[in-house]
Amino acid sequence: MDSDLLYYVLLILGGLLLLAGLLVVYRIALGPTTLDRVVGVDMITSIVIGAFSLLAALTRRSDLLPVFVVLAIIGFVGSTVVARFAPPLPPALQKDLRQAAQARIAQRAGVSLIHENMQQSLLETDRHDKRKYDANEEAVN
């Protein structure tokens, strides 16, 4: 009974790892930058380590520990090397990515950028009106 439960748990976890792998492959194909792809490859390395962990749990083999360590080191060194030697993004692409990220954050928070821009415009108008009022007060005095 206990081994059946372990088998089903490992089967479910294997399915989740497969789903995660498919989503990461989709992210690697989607891009848009080299660093996004590197993060995807790093995630694939983590998923492979998870798969080997499931294999070790299923077969009750402890001799796979060096494989985990080697895979982790390869993933770390590979990510570090690519991040170190990756060319910087062009300023226009940086601006586009920053605006897209801000739009996603605002959308998740339930606030549209239009609403945010309107609030900023109203604040600037209030500041301008206050400066005009202060200037008029000084002129009167």
Side-chain angles (χ1 to χ4, degrees), residues 8-9 17 24 27 56 62 75 79-80 90 106-107 119 126 129 133:
Y8 289 122
V9 167
L17 283 175
V24 169
R27 183 62 197 167
S62 62
S79 298
T80 306
Q107 185 179 18
Q119 284 181 335
D126 288 345
D129 289 345
Y133 177 77

Side-chain angles (χ1 to χ4, degrees), residues 18-28:
L18 179 66
L19 177 66
L22 293 174
L23 291 172
V24 169
V25 168
Y26 174 73
R27 183 62 197 167
I28 290 172

Side-chain angles (χ1 to χ4, degrees), residues 6-62:
L6 177 66
Y7 176 75
Y8 289 122
V9 167
L10 293 178
L11 188 64
I12 290 170
L13 293 175
L16 290 174
L17 283 175
L18 179 66
L19 177 66
L22 293 174
L23 291 172
V24 169
V25 168
Y26 174 73
R27 183 62 197 167
I28 290 172
L30 193 63
T33 65
T34 304
L35 294 179
D36 288 328
R37 291 183 173 96
V38 169
V39 169
V41 171
D42 198 29
M43 283 300 303
I44 290 287
T45 305
S46 299
I47 291 169
V48 168
I49 291 172
F52 272 109
S53 300
L54 290 179
L55 177 68
L58 182 64
T59 60
R60 300 189 188 276
R61 292 177 52 186
S62 62

